[in-house]
């Protein structure tokens, strides 16, 4: 393909941007008008556009593509043809006859859908579209846009936790057209003045500090986690997905000084013996002042969960500070965890997860009302009274090809208001786990500090 600049100039020849005086739908007079619909009439340009958009994205993250009606529909169709990712079609309004469906196509609950938009201004059309897609128990995390008018829509969507990928913005376009003589300096100045005076004003939703959460914490484990975070200036939980006792103990010793908790899957330890595995692990945790989180993901009736928790070879009740549990068994199933904190599984990070919007809503009701629950594992914001544990955090910010989707520390603290990041392969698979733990500790703490900055956004 030609360069991005050359590609834009080819698109520009189709009359996609006009300059002058135009009254927008909002009633505001704009010095430019954008209409990308002509791109659909040039097959070569439409094909190249699809590939430019796809190049910006971690394609392993998506099961479906959906264009916001109507201008983005041909773009989404072209992207589907180029990527072999299935397309679904959203109607502007449901049919009044037949199936009366709003979303057309073949899809399954829990799938992750990429939204495609032609132009973003206020973000209003996307904020209207996303809930309609999520009502079908589909997940939306990413939006790809051809042109950002730079009037605040992108920032608004990002503040709500969505990742927005833009191919061009209006400033970049003006620079290209000024350089090629299509726009005069005076016209560019008029556009810049318009953008400065017509930004959507909104204030970022602020988050509570660890100190504030500590003051309001009711559960002893919540308090200990927050106290440890403040003392160590760390919000890092390392996932020890290893299979032998020696690997577990070595890993705990290396990362211990830099973490607030070690997450274990104790039932995958092939040579587990309580005295040889747990006793030294507890000693390392005490030495380096971190908590033990057993990621058992209990998911049964209360009586069975109590036996799994207290009995058997693992005797989790004797050593874990907090555990993870599904809430599929309902409120009463969590009563057995009386001496530990519970992190409820509200949503999972894997592609195609069945923790859909309707499930998350019901799971959240249980989590908020049960006294044993200290927080949740989720890819979405949680109410302030719950601690948010976010898995799948990796500095690479890409998938692993097996359904795992990663988030950067900056993204999860700024947009999801997470409290603690859970890092697995980024640490235990690294050549130097201790150095990796230090890096994630630093990045996570800096991301938390930066997320506390309260400022008015002028998109």
């Amino acid at each position: 393909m030609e360069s991005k600049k050359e590609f834009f100039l080819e698109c520009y020849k189709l009359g996609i941007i006009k300059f002058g005086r135009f009254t927008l739908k909002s009633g505001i007079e704009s010095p430019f008008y954008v209409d990308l619909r002509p791109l659909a009439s040039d097959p070569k340009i439409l094909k190249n556009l699809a590939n430019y958009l796809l190049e910006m994205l971690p394609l392993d993250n998506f099961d479906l593509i959906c264009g916001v009606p109507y201008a983005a529909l041909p773009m989404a169709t072209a992207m589907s043809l180029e990527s072999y990712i299935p397309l679904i079609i959203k109607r502007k309004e449901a049919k009044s006859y037949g199936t009366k469906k709003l979303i057309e196509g073949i899809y399954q609950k829990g799938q992750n859908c990429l939204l495609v938009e032609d132009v973003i201004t206020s973000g209003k059309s996307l904020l209207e579209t996303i809930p309609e897609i999520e009502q079908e128990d589909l997940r939306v995390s990413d939006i790809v846009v051809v042109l950002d008018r730079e009037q605040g829509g992108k920032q608004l969507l990002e503040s709500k936790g969505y990742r927005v990928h833009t191919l061009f913005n209006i400033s970049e376009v003006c620079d290209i057209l000024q350089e090629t003589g299509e726009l005069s300096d005076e016209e560019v100045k008029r556009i810049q003045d318009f953008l400065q005076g017509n930004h959507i004003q909104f204030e970022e939703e602020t988050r509570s500090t660890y100190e504030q959460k500590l003051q309001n914490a009711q559960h002893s484990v919540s308090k200990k986690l927050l106290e440890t975070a403040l003392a160590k200036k760390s919000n890092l939980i390392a996932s020890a997905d290893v299979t032998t006792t020696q690997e577990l103990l070595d890993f705990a010793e290396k990362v211990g000084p830099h973490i607030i908790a070690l997450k274990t899957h104790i039932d995958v330890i092939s040579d587990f013996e309580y005295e040889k595995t747990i006793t030294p692990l507890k000693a390392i945790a005490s030495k380096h002042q971190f908590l033990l989180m057993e990621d058992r993901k209990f998911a049964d009736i209360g009586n069975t969960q109590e036996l799994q928790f207290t009995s058997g070879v693992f005797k989790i009740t004797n050593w874990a500070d907090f555990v993870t549990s599904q809430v599929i068994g309902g409120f009463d199933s969590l009563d057995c965890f009386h001496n530990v904190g519970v992190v409820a599984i509200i949503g999972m990070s894997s592609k195609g997860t069945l923790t859909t919007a309707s499930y998350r809503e019901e799971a959240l009701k249980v989590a908020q009302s049960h006294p044993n629950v200290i927080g949740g594992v989720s890819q979405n914001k949680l109410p302030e009274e719950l601690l948010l544990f976010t898995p799948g955090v990796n500095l690479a910010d890409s998938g692993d090809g097996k359904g795992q989707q990663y988030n950067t520390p900056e993204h999860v603290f700024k947009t999801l208001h997470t409290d603690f990041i859970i890092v697995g392969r980024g640490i235990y698979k690294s050549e130097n786990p201790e150095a990796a733990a230090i890096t994630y500790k630093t990045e996570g703490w800096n991301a938390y500090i930066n997320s506390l900055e309260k400022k008015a956004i002028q998109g």
Side-chain angles (χ1 to χ4, degrees):
M1 290 190 294
E2 69 269 64
S3 71
K4 186 178 170 183
K5 174 183 173 181
E6 291 170 334
F7 174 67
F8 171 75
L9 290 173
E10 286 294 313
C11 296
Y12 181 68
K13 292 176 184 176
L14 298 180
I16 59 172
I17 303 179
K18 296 178 173 60
F19 299 95
R21 296 184 182 278
F22 305 92
T23 301
L24 302 180
K25 183 179 180 180
S26 62
I28 297 173
E29 185 178 274
S30 171
F32 63 95
Y33 183 74
V34 181
D35 180 6
L36 300 187
R37 283 171 291 188
L39 298 178
S41 296
D42 189 312
K44 179 183 176 183
I45 284 180
L46 187 61
K47 178 183 174 72
N48 286 344
L49 174 62
N51 282 302
Y52 272 112
L53 295 173
L54 290 168
E55 283 178 359
M56 296 191 294
L57 302 164
L59 297 184
D60 284 347
N61 281 8
F62 310 116
D63 305 294
L64 304 165
I65 294 177
C66 181
V68 178
Y70 287 108
L73 291 181
M75 300 170 188
T77 302
M79 291 174 69
S80 175
L81 291 170
E82 292 295 309
S83 66
Y84 294 94
I85 298 175
L87 178 77
I88 58 172
I89 298 172
K90 181 198 169 295
R91 294 178 174 274
K92 277 232 173 182
E93 53 188 35
K95 295 187 297 183
S96 59
Y97 56 90
T99 61
K100 300 182 180 181
K101 293 175 67 175
L102 192 62
I103 306 295
E104 303 285 358
I106 299 172
Y107 54 89
Q108 297 176 1
K109 292 181 178 182
Q111 288 185 308
N112 196 20
C113 181
L114 169 69
L115 279 189
V116 183
E117 178 66 293
D118 61 335
V119 180
I120 185 170
T121 304
S122 67
K124 181 181 177 182
S125 62
L126 284 161
L127 289 176
E128 292 172 348
T129 298
I130 291 169
E132 293 172 335
I133 292 176
E134 291 184 335
Q135 281 177 3
E136 299 294 315
D137 279 336
L138 298 174
R139 180 171 177 259
V140 176
S141 59
D142 292 69
I143 302 159
V144 64
V145 181
V146 180
L147 180 66
D148 176 16
R149 284 182 59 109
E150 297 182 88
Q151 291 179 249
K154 181 176 185 287
Q155 288 79 3
L156 178 60
L157 287 159
E158 288 178 336
S159 76
K160 295 184 178 296
Y162 301 103
R163 284 182 288 252
V164 183
H165 313 265
T166 55
L167 183 59
F168 297 105
N169 60 52
I170 195 63
S171 295
E172 180 182 10
V173 164
C174 287
D175 288 343
I176 293 172
L177 295 177
Q178 186 179 25
E179 182 183 330
T180 56
E182 298 286 345
L183 277 181
S184 67
D185 294 348
E186 182 181 345
E187 288 174 309
V188 171
K189 178 67 165 56
R190 191 157 63 92
I191 292 168
Q192 291 172 341
D193 291 343
F194 168 80
L195 293 175
Q196 290 177 2
N198 289 276
H199 289 176
I200 299 166
Q201 301 286 335
F202 68 95
E203 191 172 272
E204 279 189 296
E205 184 181 352
T206 57
R207 59 167 297 149
S208 297
T209 65
Y210 290 142
E211 289 88 351
Q212 291 169 328
K213 289 205 168 191
L214 180 57
Q215 288 181 347
N216 296 322
Q218 301 296 315
H219 199 286
S220 60
V221 174
S222 298
K223 293 177 182 179
K224 193 170 181 180
L225 276 169
L226 292 163
E227 288 168 349
T228 304
L230 289 167
K232 300 179 85 167
K233 287 186 167 48
S234 174
N235 42 48
L236 173 62
I237 297 174
S239 183
D241 296 333
V242 295
T243 58
T244 67
T245 292
Q246 194 58 53
E247 287 177 306
L248 176 63
L249 299 179
D250 287 347
F251 183 72
E253 186 66 51
K254 289 174 182 176
V255 304
H258 316 293
I259 63 175
I260 63 165
L262 184 75
K263 183 172 79 72
T264 60
H265 290 286
I266 206 65
D267 56 356
V268 305
I269 301 298
S270 58
D271 58 347
F272 178 89
E273 292 182 42
Y274 192 93
E275 291 301 324
K276 292 182 179 180
T277 306
I278 296 302
T279 300
L281 181 61
K282 289 174 66 176
I284 295 172
S286 177
K287 172 185 173 183
H288 294 302
Q289 295 297 295
F290 63 80
L291 282 71
L292 293 174
M293 172 186 183
E294 168 52 23
D295 192 14
R296 177 63 175 78
K297 295 186 178 71
F298 294 91
D300 214 313
I301 61 173
N303 183 63
T304 301
Q305 288 190 162
E306 184 168 17
L307 292 172
Q308 292 169 331
F309 179 51
T310 60
S311 304
V313 295
F314 301 119
K315 295 182 175 61
I316 297 169
T317 185
N318 291 349
W319 56 271
D321 295 293
F322 58 114
V323 299
T324 56
S325 178
Q326 305 282 356
V327 295
I328 195 168
F331 183 95
D332 292 343
S333 69
L334 303 179
D335 290 345
C336 62
F337 305 115
H338 49 79
N339 63 336
V340 297
V342 176
V343 177
I345 307 299
I346 307 298
M348 298 178 69
S349 62
S350 56
K351 185 173 70 173
T353 176
L354 298 183
T355 54
T356 57
S358 57
Y359 177 89
R360 293 196 302 269
E361 182 180 352
E362 294 304 314
L364 194 55
K365 291 177 183 177
V366 174
Q368 285 182 280
S369 57
H370 202 290
N372 291 344
V373 176
I374 63 171
V377 172
S378 178
Q379 297 293 316
N380 303 85
K381 285 183 181 178
L382 293 183
E384 280 285 302
E385 67 268 22
L386 293 174
L387 297 173
L388 174 56
F389 298 76
T390 304
V393 174
N394 193 296
L395 293 174
D397 194 24
S398 61
D400 66 352
K402 297 179 181 179
Q404 179 70 21
Q405 301 172 77
Y406 293 133
N407 291 310
T408 62
E410 180 184 11
H411 171 72
V412 300
F413 279 101
K414 180 181 178 181
T415 61
L416 304 183
H417 290 184
T418 195
D419 292 296
F420 307 114
I421 57 175
I422 302 174
V423 182
R425 276 168 272 190
I427 296 178
Y428 76 82
K429 284 289 189 182
S430 66
E431 293 183 3
N432 188 333
E434 182 176 9
I438 293 172
T439 298
Y440 276 97
K441 171 188 175 181
T442 303
E443 292 289 334
W445 190 259
N446 288 341
Y448 158 70
I449 295 299
N450 292 337
S451 72
L452 298 177
E453 296 178 2
K454 181 179 179 181
K455 56 185 177 180
I457 297 285
Q458 296 187 0

